[in-house]
Amino acid sequence: MKKLFFTLFVATTCITYAQNKLQSPEEFLGYKIGDQFTRHSDVIQYFKHVANNSKMVSYKTYGKTNERRPLTYAIVSSEENINTIENIRLEHLKNAGIVEGTATSKKAIVWLSYNVHGNEASSTEAAMKTIHELITKKESWLENTVVIIDPCINPDGRDRYVNWYNQVKATSYNTDQNATEHNEPWPGGRPNHYLFDLNRDWAWATQIESQQRLKIYNQWMPHIHVDFHEQGINEPYYFAPAAEPFHEIITPWQRDFQTQIGKNHAKYFDKEGWLFFTRERFDLLYPSYGDTYPTFMGAIGMTYEQAGHGRAGLGIQTDEGYVLTLKDRALHHTTTGLSTVEMSSKNALKLNEEFKKFFINTDLKYKSYVLNGPKDKIKALTTLLDKQEIKYGFTKTPKVTGYNFRKNKQGSINANGALVVSTNQPKGKMVKVLFEPDAKLSNPLTYDITAWSIPHAYGLEAIASTSLVATNQSKQQEPIANIANASGAGYITKWNSINDAAFMADLVQNSIRVRFSEKNFSNNGVDFKKGSLIITKSDNISTKDYDKIVIKIANKHHRKLFTATSSFASKGVDFGSPEVKLINKQRIAILKGDYVSSLSYGELWHFFEQQLNYPITSIDSQYFNKINLNSYDVLILPNGSYRGEISASTLNKLKKWVQQGGKLIAMAGAVGTFAGKEGFDLIKNKPKPKKKDSIGNLTPYDQRERENVKDLITGSIFKTKVDPSHPMAFGYDDTYFSLKLNNNSYKLLKKGYNIAYMQSPENVSGFSGKTALKNLNNSLVFGEARIGKGSVIYMVDNPMFRSFWENGKLFLVNAIFFTNNNKFRL
């Protein structure tokens, strides 16, 4: 018995000892980093293991994805620092002026973000190796440095990729580029659940991952932020310094320290014989990247790009004849991550000194941005500012003068009660970046769009003032508390925003019949514009508790209802007018799959589920030809590469469906499918052919790319004319600022309705080449072509782009529910 007890005691002691012993990733996982792709759940377990067995690590969960996977981060530093980590954090924020007091911080704060694109999966493998190396071999760096590690920003995308790869890969793996394991199916693992590119969402925070991550990021505001990525299989490794253009607010120190870090990386890469490149492709202009956003928040923001991407798998034969392995990819990312921490530790005092200087904003030209417009649009903007923890207030000043965004020149607006966002605050430089009329460009060849100005994105009147405009701290919205009036003829509400659209969608789904007016009218002395919603007792006479349902939904959406005691108008149309039409409970289908942009489809999917809260049916392109379109009232074709994909028979099928009353909405790249096709009233604008030169093109080889910029539009904002009398434009005035992403141009419709268009293009922000501008003369932005009983809606510019162009979204809702509303289906 004693012998048995002793044996059990020894066994238990050994197990306990093993559990308390810090293990390497290889020991914990049972395989070497790079031999397999690690599932996200196992990554989480390893980080938990490290935190449980090291006093140098604190590991926390900051949220969950749409698919309920945890979002986590580890704080890594010396044991002494971890014990006083909250004090270190607060001392650091004093440097930025976010916390009051005199800063005494001497610690460097480094944030390493991994796997923002799910199929760029080597970096999460590197994250596990990096944390183990830091606490077992690089402890001295951690004495004056705090390292924050987010091992996987995009767990849903990563698992989509890893699960697919593990299902299809050969044993052990096949390096042939044509093998299944190197060719992901649509939509790939790059985006998140809603197929958004999270590396373009930092500033706009439309996605749940971004929203939750920013709460933690704002608690730390690091000195250094690195975003780990992957690129094409034949491009070895990219690290800072970045390419031009650099945004003008980026300081000389930020530029210089990027170079210092890059040279340190080069030392390690040269020692191992690893190739790399710098100062190409990846610029620092667009504010919503994982390198630019932190840079505009005072950090040294950098992108590191390893060859590989979703094609590489565990190993792939490159065009240059060598096999690129996951093991090598993870090792390279581990090396640059450690090198970054090393340089931060060596320069901790300088980082603190320069970080503090960044938040001095006295030299910014514009001191205040003053914005006025509908309450819902102001509320949408303040919601974004709250996510970013940017301060704002409201002014009682009757008039403000400065640069007028709508007029594109000096002017003034009525500012009483207007929103004011000042650059006189810690995040003043980010305010400048987000609100500035036009970002300066040192080079038009950028990696992304060149314009994003918030006043245009939100459809607000705005003034950029060189003076600091006085404000009150806050402005409380009046609470909405509608009261039922059973004796009235119905209820009326105005139509200005997506909030109104969500209210309408909720009513329709609750079987409340809703009308909209195609004419201006007055009822009981109150004026209502086209598009105003009318909910009549007559239409809902058979609905039990109709008044209670309407009031409940209106209060839920904070919509103010006007009670109509009579359907007789004091001016304009009465409730029974043919110009006051019932809104159909539209059955909406959206195309997805091969040749459809996953990002564009995701924008629509997210919009209908998260903003409009209205059901859609997604139809895959693989079986699209087999479906009966008569089951749907509306079909949306997102942006995509449709050339040659829509056959003549499919086009004829679509045309017949439209003739019978269907509504087809083509967006961005899908519009070209119908150009030049009989009956669709759409012709592409083609630039005038260049004069033939018998000698040929003598432009030097290394100048061809720059020469071609004259044909490009790189995400620019254009002022367009609007026909506000058309139902698709209800809620808008005669001007709309459109974000144009490319040089696609179509002639004005001859028979149809030109709803938004350009006669002589006015580019108010961003880069547009001279030739591309000329080709926009008399061009379509939004239009409707009638075919039989139905309509084809052309949206040449995509108002759903990345979900941040808030002011364009109502056009889509109008197209679905208001445009050509000639039938009603129960």
Side-chain angles (χ1 to χ4, degrees):
M1 185 69 182
K2 288 183 178 180
K3 184 175 181 180
L4 176 62
F5 176 79
F6 178 76
T7 303
L8 290 172
F9 173 78
V10 171
T12 304
T13 302
C14 290
I15 292 171
T16 303
Y17 177 76
Q19 287 176 336
N20 289 333
K21 180 184 177 183
L22 177 65
Q23 295 179 308
S24 68
E26 179 182 349
E27 292 169 328
F28 184 86
L29 298 170
Y31 54 85
K32 293 180 180 179
I33 291 293
D35 284 353
Q36 295 185 35
F37 282 110
T38 309
R39 296 184 189 279
H40 180 254
S41 58
D42 291 335
V43 175
I44 297 297
Q45 291 306 313
Y46 180 66
F47 270 79
K48 285 182 178 178
H49 162 78
V50 172
N52 289 337
N53 292 280
S54 173
K55 295 180 180 180
M56 301 169 69
V57 178
S58 172
Y59 187 51
K60 301 180 181 182
T61 298
Y62 64 85
K64 285 187 177 181
T65 68
N66 288 290
E67 296 175 17
R68 302 186 299 282
R69 292 181 178 88
L71 295 163
T72 66
Y73 69 107
I75 303 173
V76 186
S77 195
S78 68
E79 181 180 347
E80 180 183 354
N81 288 340
I82 291 294
N83 289 336
T84 59
I85 198 67
E86 181 62 8
N87 184 59
I88 290 173
R89 184 184 73 82
L90 293 174
E91 283 299 309
H92 170 65
L93 291 181
K94 289 178 183 178
N95 251 343
I98 293 172
V99 171
E100 293 183 3
T102 303
T104 58
S105 177
K106 297 179 182 179
K107 305 288 191 297
I109 312 295
V110 180
W111 187 306
L112 305 178
S113 289
Y114 297 89
N115 220 160
V116 66
H117 293 146
N119 59 2
E120 299 175 12
S122 68
S123 67
T124 290
E125 308 296 336
M128 292 185 284
K129 193 172 179 66
T130 300
I131 193 171
H132 185 260
E133 290 272 321
L134 281 172
I135 61 178
T136 59
K137 297 180 181 179
K138 309 296 182 184
E139 301 98 312
S140 62
W141 296 348
L142 300 177
E143 291 176 8
N144 69 343
T145 305
V146 175
V147 182
I148 299 168
I149 294 178
D150 186 332
C152 188
I153 288 178
N154 183 7
D156 292 349
R158 177 183 172 83
D159 268 3
R160 187 187 308 124
Y161 171 73
V162 169
N163 290 340
W164 165 80
Y165 183 82
N166 288 339
Q167 289 169 7
V168 303
K169 81 173 183 68
T171 302
S172 59
Y173 57 85
N174 189 331
T175 62
D176 187 336
Q177 291 184 20
N178 296 317
T180 298
E181 63 196 78
H182 301 305
N183 294 277
E184 281 183 275
W186 193 97
R190 179 185 178 91
N192 75 338
H193 169 80
Y194 278 112
L195 307 186
F196 270 67
D197 186 333
L198 292 178
N199 192 38
R200 273 83 174 165
D201 195 49
W202 280 78
W204 318 126
T206 68
Q207 300 301 291
I208 193 169
E209 294 91 343
S210 306
Q211 293 163 12
Q212 295 172 112
R213 182 177 67 255
L214 286 176
K215 291 177 183 177
I216 307 303
Y217 190 92
N218 278 300
Q219 289 176 13
W220 278 100
M221 296 284 286
H223 294 117
I224 307 286
H225 181 269
V226 180
D227 209 17
F228 290 86
H229 289 262
E230 292 188 69
Q231 56 192 346
I233 61 173
N234 300 304
E235 300 154 346
Y237 201 101
Y238 163 86
F239 49 71
E244 292 283 355
F246 282 68
H247 194 281
E248 63 177 311
I249 68 158
I250 298 174
T251 67
W253 156 254
Q254 288 175 309
R255 297 173 71 126
D256 178 65
F257 198 61
Q258 278 200 356
T259 302
Q260 291 183 45
I261 290 175
K263 288 181 177 179
N264 202 57
H265 297 344
K267 175 182 66 177
Y268 291 108
F269 273 57
D270 288 341
K271 180 181 178 181
E272 298 295 335
W274 300 336
L275 292 176
F276 63 88
F277 65 96
T278 66
R279 294 165 292 197
E280 296 180 58
R281 299 186 187 174
F282 306 106
D283 59 77
L284 294 176
L285 183 73
Y286 175 64
S288 207
Y289 281 131
D291 55 7
T292 51
Y293 177 91
T295 299
F296 302 157
M297 291 287 201
I300 312 298
M302 295 172 291
T303 289
Y304 296 169
E305 296 266 358
Q306 162 64 49
H309 207 268
R311 289 199 67 201
L314 293 180
I316 191 170
Q317 186 84 22
T318 69
D319 293 349
E320 295 184 340
Y322 66 89
V323 174
L324 174 67
T325 67
L326 177 60
K327 179 180 178 181
D328 288 338
R329 291 152 59 198
L331 180 58
H332 299 162
H333 269 330
T334 301
T335 301
T336 54
L338 292 173
S339 172
T340 302
V341 177
E342 177 188 23
M343 286 296 290
S344 303
S345 178
K346 287 180 178 180
N347 294 274
L349 294 178
K350 184 68 172 176
L351 283 169
N352 276 279
E353 177 186 331
E354 294 294 336
F355 188 74
K356 184 174 183 178
K357 290 179 184 176
F358 182 88
F359 294 94
I360 300 171
N361 298 316
T362 53
D363 60 342
L364 297 179
K365 176 181 177 181
Y366 294 119
K367 308 302 182 187
S368 296
Y369 295 92
V370 185
L371 305 103
N372 226 339
K375 291 180 180 179
D376 287 342
K377 293 182 179 181
I378 294 291
K379 176 62 177 174
L381 177 50
T382 58
T383 298
L384 174 66
L385 297 175
D386 288 340
K387 290 176 185 176
Q388 298 295 352
E389 297 186 20
I390 291 173
K391 299 174 184 177
Y392 55 87
F394 296 86
T395 184
K396 293 183 179 180
T397 304
K399 186 174 78 170
V400 173
T401 300
Y403 174 86
N404 187 305
F405 282 76
R406 290 180 69 85
K407 295 180 179 178
N408 200 23
K409 60 182 181 181
Q410 288 297 110
S412 60
I413 63 169
N414 175 9
N416 191 22
L419 173 69
V420 179
V421 187
S422 167
T423 57
N424 185 30
Q425 60 174 303
K427 295 181 181 177
K429 288 189 173 69
M430 179 57 89
V431 170
K432 169 189 163 51
V433 172
L434 295 178
F435 286 82
E436 64 190 343
D438 197 13
K440 289 183 180 179
L441 276 172
S442 61
N443 182 352
L445 293 172
T446 67
Y447 198 64
D448 212 277
I449 61 175
T450 55
W452 50 81
S453 185
I454 275 183
H456 295 314
Y458 283 77
L460 296 166
E461 278 192 298
I463 290 288
S465 172
T466 55
S467 301
L468 193 62
V469 177
T471 64
N472 297 322
Q473 198 62 30
S474 63
K475 180 181 181 181
Q476 298 295 328
Q477 280 199 321
E478 298 175 7
I480 300 296
N482 297 293
I483 300 173
N485 185 349
S487 63
Y491 303 95
I492 311 169
T493 188
K494 298 185 177 183
W495 185 260
N496 293 308
S497 71
I498 288 300
N499 304 68
D500 297 319
F503 168 56
M504 176 271 294
D506 204 349
L507 289 171
V508 169
Q509 289 181 87
N510 278 277
S511 300
I512 298 296
R513 292 191 179 188
V514 185
R515 294 179 181 266
F516 72 98
S517 175
E518 287 196 342
K519 300 290 184 181
N520 296 335
F521 69 97
S522 297
N523 188 289
N524 199 27
V526 180
D527 294 332
F528 297 94
K529 291 184 178 181
K530 301 176 182 70
S532 296
L533 302 180
I534 301 171
I535 311 154
T536 72
K537 178 193 295 184
S538 176
D539 288 324
N540 296 282
I541 198 74
S542 61
T543 302
K544 185 181 179 181
D545 296 326
Y546 142 75
D547 287 282
K548 290 182 180 179
I549 294 171
V550 172
I551 295 301
K552 181 180 179 180
I553 295 173
N555 289 341
K556 169 186 170 184
H557 290 272
H558 307 288
R559 300 299 90 192
K560 182 179 180 181
L561 296 178
F562 296 85
T563 302
T565 55
S566 171
S567 61
F568 187 89
S570 49
K571 185 170 63 175
V573 294
D574 303 317
F575 287 1
S577 167
E579 306 297 335
V580 178
K581 297 178 177 178
L582 277 166
I583 294 174
N584 195 20
K585 189 176 183 179
Q586 299 287 59
R587 299 167 299 178
I588 303 169
I590 300 181
L591 189 65
K592 65 185 283 287
D594 294 341
Y595 67 78
V596 175
S597 163
S598 61
L599 298 176
S600 182
Y601 166 76
E603 291 156 5
L604 291 162
W605 181 22
H606 179 263
F607 172 71
F608 281 102
E609 286 197 356
Q610 296 296 321
Q611 281 195 274
L612 198 62
N613 296 308
Y614 193 86
I616 58 170
T617 299
S618 297
I619 299 173
D620 199 279
S621 58
Q622 290 184 346
Y623 57 83
F624 176 60
N625 290 335
K626 301 176 183 178
I627 67 161
N628 180 3
L629 287 174
N630 292 327
S631 299
Y632 309 99
D633 304 300
V634 178
L635 172 63
I636 303 176
L637 304 183
N639 182 33
S641 300
Y642 288 78
R643 188 174 181 179
E645 300 292 348
I646 302 292
S647 66
S649 61
T650 301
L651 193 67
N652 188 52
K653 177 182 176 180
L654 288 170
K655 190 173 181 180
K656 286 183 178 179
W657 172 73
V658 173
Q659 287 173 330
Q660 294 168 4
K663 192 179 297 181
L664 180 64
I665 301 176
M667 305 186 72
V671 172
T673 305
F674 306 97
K677 302 297 192 298
E678 185 179 353
F680 286 93
D681 196 15
L682 186 70
I683 299 173
K684 192 163 188 175
N685 273 324
K686 296 181 180 179
K688 292 181 180 179
K690 298 176 182 178
K691 292 182 180 179
K692 293 183 179 179
D693 190 331
S694 59
I695 299 176
N697 191 338
L698 298 180
T699 304
Y701 177 83
D702 64 354
Q703 295 177 28
R704 288 287 180 93
E705 187 178 27
R706 183 167 290 278
E707 175 71 12
N708 289 336
V709 301
K710 63 185 180 183
D711 300 320
L712 301 178
I713 294 175
T714 52
S716 302
I717 300 172
F718 284 83
K719 188 176 184 178
T720 72
K721 294 185 177 181
V722 176
D723 174 8
S725 70
H726 191 282
M728 189 173 160
F730 288 172
Y732 293 90
D733 56 25
D734 61 2
T735 301
Y736 169 69
F737 290 88
S738 186
L739 180 63
K740 182 164 283 295
L741 301 172
N742 52 49
N743 61 0
N744 287 345
S745 176
Y746 298 87
K747 294 183 183 294
L748 298 176
L749 304 180
K750 288 187 176 180
K751 297 180 181 179
Y753 300 93
N754 296 291
I755 299 157
Y757 56 93
M758 287 182 277
Q759 289 178 301
S760 180
E762 186 178 346
N763 183 193
V764 301
S765 183
F767 176 79
S768 297
K770 292 181 180 179
T771 304
L773 272 175
K774 288 180 182 178
N775 200 41
L776 291 178
N777 285 316
N778 298 312
S779 65
L780 182 69
V781 176
F782 303 138
E784 180 202 5
R786 297 278 173 97
I787 303 177
K789 296 179 181 179
S791 294
V792 180
I793 306 294
Y794 301 119
M795 305 190 82
V796 179
D797 295 348
N798 177 14
M800 311 306 291
F801 181 68
R802 296 179 185 166
S803 196
F804 86 94
W805 204 257
E806 287 292 328
N807 194 40
K809 294 175 181 177
L810 199 59
F811 278 114
L812 178 63
V813 177
N814 290 342
I816 293 169
F817 292 99
F818 289 178
T819 301
N820 196 8
N821 195 317
N822 292 322
K823 65 173 184 175
F824 182 77
R825 174 183 49 77
L826 292 172

